[in-house]
Amino acid sequence: NMKRALVWAFLVSVVGCGHTGGGTETDNPASPLKDFSASGCKNREPNSGQQALVLTSDADGLQCVEWEQTASGALTLRLLNFPEPCGNAYLGSAALATDGVLELTAYKDTCAVFKCGLCIFDFTYELTGIATDEPLKLRVGSAVCESEPTTFADELMLPISEQPSGIACRYLAQ
């Protein structure tokens, strides 16, 4: 499993986790998720005559979680270079679990399984109602689609109370 083969070199404290649970729909009013976006597949060559839409960044070769508190009080979390099965469109959900951990999930818009391997994606979550006066405990997971269970493979702590913006990265297995 490619996700489990990733070697961590986090810049902040990280704890491994194998928790499985369900996500919350994007339009659920109790969800802190205000907006979600996903990049296209970043590791596929464009067809002839097309140009890649994603520019090379400092995060190449790294898997990162970037955070930024906005002037409006929202919190933007960007998951950079996350491997997921290829698909046409990804959706996201966010929920505060009963243990106080913010759970972010990405899932395909359809439950169909495509035989095209893994892609590398960026996912952006804009959140409201997240306390910023203490470090943020974050759990990152994925599901085949909204109706399937979420597998949470990663848990980490972001120092959002000390730094209004920042980034935590690990090496991405090739």
Side-chain angles (χ1 to χ4, degrees):
N1 184 326
M2 185 176 178
K3 284 186 181 178
R4 299 212 189 273
L6 293 173
V7 178
W8 283 96
F10 261 113
L11 302 176
V12 295
S13 126
V14 175
V15 178
C17 180
H19 174 75
T20 300
T24 302
E25 296 84 19
T26 304
D27 59 355
N28 183 333
S31 172
L33 186 62
K34 180 179 174 186
D35 195 21
F36 173 83
S37 63
S39 70
C41 181
K42 293 172 34 174
N43 59 324
R44 296 259 186 257
E45 291 296 321
N47 295 331
S48 59
Q50 291 180 328
Q51 290 190 0
L53 296 176
V54 178
L55 300 175
T56 303
S57 75
D58 292 339
D60 283 351
L62 298 173
Q63 187 176 46
C64 301
V65 177
E66 183 178 24
W67 69 93
E68 181 178 8
Q69 295 176 38
T70 65
S72 66
L75 177 66
T76 300
L77 295 177
R78 294 181 61 219
L79 309 182
L80 305 173
N81 299 330
F82 276 70
E84 292 293 338
C86 65
N88 292 331
Y90 268 83
L91 303 173
S93 68
L96 287 170
T98 56
D99 61 359
V101 176
L102 176 64
E103 295 180 338
L104 299 181
T105 303
Y107 54 90
K108 290 191 301 186
D109 64 342
T110 175
C111 292
V113 176
F114 302 104
K115 294 184 177 182
C116 50
L118 287 175
C119 282
I120 303 297
F121 292 94
D122 293 345
F123 301 115
T124 302
Y125 297 79
E126 188 176 340
L127 306 157
T128 58
I130 302 297
T132 57
D133 58 347
E134 59 186 30
L136 178 65
K137 294 178 186 172
L138 180 66
R139 207 174 275 135
V140 179
S142 64
V144 173
C145 58
E146 187 176 17
S147 63
E148 294 295 318
T150 300
T151 300
F152 291 100
D154 303 308
E155 188 171 307
L156 61 144
M157 185 83 68
L158 300 178
I160 66 171
S161 57
E162 300 167 18
Q163 301 173 336
S165 64
I167 191 166
C169 297
R170 65 183 178 185
Y171 291 106
L172 180 65
Q174 298 295 323

